[in-house]
Amino acid sequence: DTAVSQTPKYLVTQMGNDKSIKCEQNLGHDTMYWYKQDSKKFLKIMFSYNNKELIINETVPNRFSPKSPDKAHLNLHINSLELGDSAVYFCASSKARFQPLHFGNGTRLTVT
Amino acid sequence: QKEVEQNSGPLSVPEGAIASLNCTYSDRGSQSFFWYRQYSGKSPELIMSIYSNGDKEDGRFTAQLNKASQYVSLLIRDSQPSDSATYLCAGPFRPNAGNMLTFGGGTRLMVKP
């Protein structure tokens, strides 16, 4: 009965490839997010998605795109992967925009 | 100035002592703050929420918010080795970006037996 689940847990790929990370939440939350945690452990917001409203952190390259087929899912697509994309990506959800986040277990992406 | 700032540490305290973790923020309009604990290789886990000035206690944890001075703190009483982790402060900043929850860089706490 995992609340926020991400797949895959590990993803190793080569530069230039396109990859996706899936996220699902069974908490009935209205808002979902993607965060990137780099090697220095800094957790950086990438996107939030609420009721078909997508909010994008302006520093995120347009190679990254979230896709939400329904309220319980927010997948992350990454095109033309670069070495600097290597990080741990966390999906999260919250009841509403100003409520605390519940995180998934993370996906460790390694680009070689 | 970063939106949320924390001392990266490590903060080392002996077992049984009080650990004090601090966080300052830049957006005066922020109303709610959260403390997360992250063990190495794991995801962040919510341990405290605070929405108004003053103290909020939950077991061995006390969160303190001072909006006038723009800081948030977390006190851990009777620190245990199992409290050793990175503690992340977060608040809904960046009003131009939908007030998405923004995290500080985290403070690494080490509790020595």
Side-chain angles (χ1 to χ4, degrees), chain A residues 21-76:
Chain A
I21 305 171
K22 294 185 176 181
C23 178
E24 176 182 4
Q25 56 96 3
N26 62 7
L27 297 168
H29 286 171
D30 288 336
T31 308
M32 296 184 72
Y33 311 81
W34 279 103
Y35 281 82
K36 176 183 180 182
Q37 189 168 47
D38 60 27
S39 57
K40 294 184 179 180
K41 307 303 181 186
F42 184 66
L43 200 58
K44 176 183 171 183
I45 179 70
M46 300 179 70
F47 306 100
S48 78
Y49 194 87
N50 175 292
N51 193 26
K52 300 185 179 180
E53 179 189 13
L54 175 65
I55 300 172
I56 304 172
N57 183 329
E58 66 270 14
T59 65
V60 175
N62 58 15
R63 298 182 294 104
F64 290 79
S65 59
K67 297 283 194 301
S68 180
D70 55 57
K71 199 172 84 166
H73 296 82
L74 184 66
N75 304 323
L76 182 64

Side-chain angles (χ1 to χ4, degrees), chain A residues 9 33 35 37 40-48 55-59 90 97-106 108, chain B residues 2 4 32 34 36 38 40-46 49 51 86 88 92 94 96-106:
Chain A
K9 186 174 176 64
Y33 311 81
Y35 281 82
Q37 189 168 47
K40 294 184 179 180
K41 307 303 181 186
F42 184 66
L43 200 58
K44 176 183 171 183
I45 179 70
M46 300 179 70
F47 306 100
S48 78
I55 300 172
I56 304 172
N57 183 329
E58 66 270 14
T59 65
F90 286 103
R97 189 173 289 169
F98 299 107
Q99 296 298 309
L101 305 182
H102 297 259
F103 284 88
N105 288 330
R108 181 173 293 278
Chain B
K2 292 182 181 176
V4 187
S32 51
F34 309 97
Y36 287 80
Q38 186 175 24
S40 181
K42 300 295 185 183
S43 58
E45 170 193 13
L46 178 71
S49 305
Y51 301 97
T86 296
L88 303 166
R94 308 196 65 182
N96 293 333
N99 284 319
M100 291 188 284
L101 200 62
T102 303
F103 286 79

Side-chain angles (χ1 to χ4, degrees), chain B residues 45-95:
Chain B
E45 170 193 13
L46 178 71
I47 54 173
M48 290 288 285
S49 305
I50 187 163
Y51 301 97
S52 57
N53 269 334
D55 296 359
K56 178 182 177 183
E57 186 174 320
D58 183 1
R60 295 186 296 112
F61 298 99
T62 299
Q64 300 173 318
L65 174 58
N66 184 322
K67 292 185 179 180
S69 300
Q70 294 177 245
Y71 81 79
V72 190
S73 63
L74 179 70
L75 300 177
I76 306 175
R77 290 181 298 281
D78 188 22
S79 295
Q80 301 297 310
S82 58
D83 294 326
S84 298
T86 296
Y87 289 80
L88 303 166
C89 170
F93 305 110
R94 308 196 65 182

